[in-house]
Amino acid sequence: MSRPAVFVAAVMAVALASSACTPLTSYSGFQAIEAKPAEMKVGEDSKSTLMEKLGSPSAVSTFDNNTWYYISQTTDRVAFYMPRVIKRDVVAIKFNPADEKVASVDTYTLQDGKVIAYNGRETPTRGREMTILEQLLGNVGRGGMLPQDDTAPGQRPGDR
């Protein structure tokens, strides 16, 4: 092989190896096009003007229909590793229930979030687990696999 061909092959190999480590950035959730949720004016904008400017919210509060959330998130993923959240914005817009005007606009970022530790243990159940063989052969010898009398399904022994 000639020297230039080896050089080109080496450059191609380095370029291919370095492109595998390039992070893939993905954007999910609410994407502001014309107006941003944080720019809504307290006392001026209402639910209807918010729907016109921003569209429907990402989520509505479970216990209070007068709180709307616009959520967006940016993540990076490198090769086969788990995605890493780079940026998260949650804009909570609260409305006055009387006139449906914006009462407050609060912005929360990734630094405002809290990590919740989940408990992975399971609650034990009573009894024991049966193997497949025990389940299949469990009724053998008890006479439970075949009908005991000549009654048709849905009939009582006295109905003939």
Side-chain angles (χ1 to χ4, degrees):
M1 228 169 151
S2 68
R3 192 172 209 159
V6 171
F7 179 72
V8 170
V11 169
M12 295 285 285
V14 169
L16 184 64
S18 66
S19 68
C21 296
T22 303
L24 288 168
T25 303
S26 63
Y27 305 93
S28 59
F30 179 79
Q31 301 297 320
I33 297 171
E34 294 179 16
K36 295 181 180 178
E39 295 173 350
M40 297 301 111
K41 295 181 176 62
V42 176
E44 290 181 26
D45 289 313
S46 65
K47 284 185 179 182
S48 59
T49 59
L50 227 69
M51 287 292 280
E52 289 174 13
K53 292 178 182 179
L54 303 174
S56 58
S58 302
V60 177
S61 177
T62 305
F63 302 108
D64 181 18
N65 289 336
N66 291 316
T67 305
W68 289 5
Y69 298 99
Y70 290 90
I71 305 165
S72 65
Q73 178 172 291
T74 305
T75 57
D76 263 359
R77 182 184 187 114
V78 178
F80 53 84
Y81 294 108
M82 292 290 291
R84 184 175 56 108
V85 178
I86 296 172
K87 181 181 177 187
R88 180 180 301 134
D89 292 321
V90 178
V91 179
I93 301 176
K94 296 180 183 176
F95 298 98
N96 186 355
D99 59 358
E100 293 190 341
K101 298 277 186 187
V102 175
S104 67
V105 178
D106 300 316
T107 303
Y108 304 103
T109 62
L110 193 58
Q111 288 76 26
D112 296 319
K114 296 191 182 351
V115 177
I116 299 173
Y118 290 104
N119 188 346
R121 295 181 295 176
E122 296 179 7
T123 304
T125 57
R126 293 185 178 217
R128 65 180 187 91
E129 292 185 22
M130 293 174 55
T131 64
I132 293 175
L133 191 60
E134 287 176 323
Q135 291 176 11
L136 290 174
L137 301 176
N139 286 331
V140 174
R142 292 189 207 163
M145 294 184 74
L146 299 173
Q148 295 298 320
D149 52 8
D150 58 345
T151 58
Q155 280 186 339
R156 288 186 232 149
D159 298 340
R160 287 195 186 171

